[in-house]
Amino acid sequence: MRALPIDPKFVRLTKKETIKQGGAIRMNNIYYDLNSDKILPDAEGDLNALAVIMKEYPSVIIELSSHTDARGSNESNQKLSQRRAESAIRYLIETQGISRERLQPKGYGETVILNRCTNDVKDCTDEEHRFNRRTEFKVIGGVTEKAIERTIVVAKKWSECTAEEKKEGVGIKEDEYIKINKANTPKN
């Protein structure tokens, strides 16, 4: 039986996520500044985590899918999202040694908006628009019967946890709770 958390207000949970061929996974921190394809420092951790998965599963082939917000023309957003996907791939090749043959870039422009901020909506905040400027990955080959599993660390308020989560959780201090949640929240 696990001891009660150190700080009963917050809990760290480790969850397993199964990644199957064809399923898209939105990474927590691969967001972009407006009109930019530059990999931000916060994105490096998620790209490095993807590299770990790819090294663990050497036959897997990944599509890096990049998206824009709805500001700008459809044509310029399509080109920008393709540049973002290429930028993420360049990072994986140059810093992690992943083979280009295992990485497929795909720009979707503004065709897959995650919130209400489409072309017709004029009252979205910069943060809402930024949520749509992202890169996801999708396993498109190399996985047969065996699904890929990755471990995700999340932090929740103790009062929001289910009884099962409270049994599994490890107590954390407020500053670590803020750090984990900040890492999972798009920046302005």
Side-chain angles (χ1 to χ4, degrees):
M1 180 176 203
R2 287 183 175 232
L4 287 176
I6 300 163
D7 180 346
K9 293 193 274 183
F10 306 101
V11 64
R12 175 201 304 261
L13 303 169
T14 303
K15 297 183 176 185
K16 291 270 188 197
E17 178 179 45
T18 301
I19 304 165
K20 295 182 180 174
Q21 192 159 304
I25 304 297
R26 185 167 54 95
M27 293 178 269
N28 295 330
N29 293 308
I30 303 186
Y31 293 96
Y32 300 88
D33 289 331
L34 181 63
N35 293 323
S36 174
D37 63 4
K38 183 178 184 239
I39 298 295
L40 298 172
D42 288 347
E44 293 175 3
D46 273 4
L47 287 170
N48 292 341
L50 176 57
V52 168
I53 290 170
M54 294 189 76
K55 289 173 183 177
E56 186 176 341
Y57 298 90
S59 63
V60 75
I61 299 169
I62 299 290
E63 175 186 285
L64 282 152
S65 312
S66 289
H67 306 269
T68 65
D69 61 33
R71 297 182 284 187
S73 72
N74 291 346
E75 182 182 345
S76 65
N77 281 337
Q78 183 63 41
K79 289 177 182 177
L80 176 60
S81 66
Q82 187 66 33
R83 287 196 325 268
R84 287 176 174 169
E86 292 286 352
S87 182
I89 284 177
R90 220 173 11 262
Y91 177 89
L92 289 167
I93 293 169
E94 292 172 4
T95 68
Q96 298 297 317
I98 302 297
S99 168
R100 175 69 170 92
E101 290 75 36
R102 298 178 60 208
L103 300 164
Q104 302 296 316
K106 176 70 175 160
Y108 285 90
E110 59 184 82
T111 62
V112 187
I113 298 294
L114 295 178
N115 55 23
R116 66 187 185 88
C117 300
T118 59
N119 284 330
D120 299 331
V121 178
K122 305 297 182 207
D123 65 338
C124 290
T125 66
D126 285 340
E127 185 174 327
E128 288 174 305
H129 281 298
R130 184 173 183 160
F131 189 68
N132 290 312
R133 299 189 304 263
R134 69 200 185 278
T135 292
E136 301 170 332
F137 78 87
K138 184 187 306 182
V139 176
I140 59 172
V143 176
T144 53
E145 323 77 59
K146 188 175 178 183
I148 297 171
E149 287 191 350
R150 73 175 183 163
T151 301
I152 304 167
V153 176
V154 295
K156 287 177 75 172
K157 290 184 178 179
W158 182 257
S159 60
E160 296 171 354
C161 291
T162 65
E164 185 66 27
E165 289 172 333
K166 287 179 181 179
K167 285 182 196 174
E168 295 299 318
V170 176
I172 60 173
K173 298 197 180 310
E174 185 171 4
D175 61 337
E176 188 178 352
Y177 172 82
I178 291 167
K179 182 179 175 186
I180 291 170
N181 283 304
K182 185 178 179 186
N184 293 318
T185 304
K187 313 262 185 303
N188 285 336

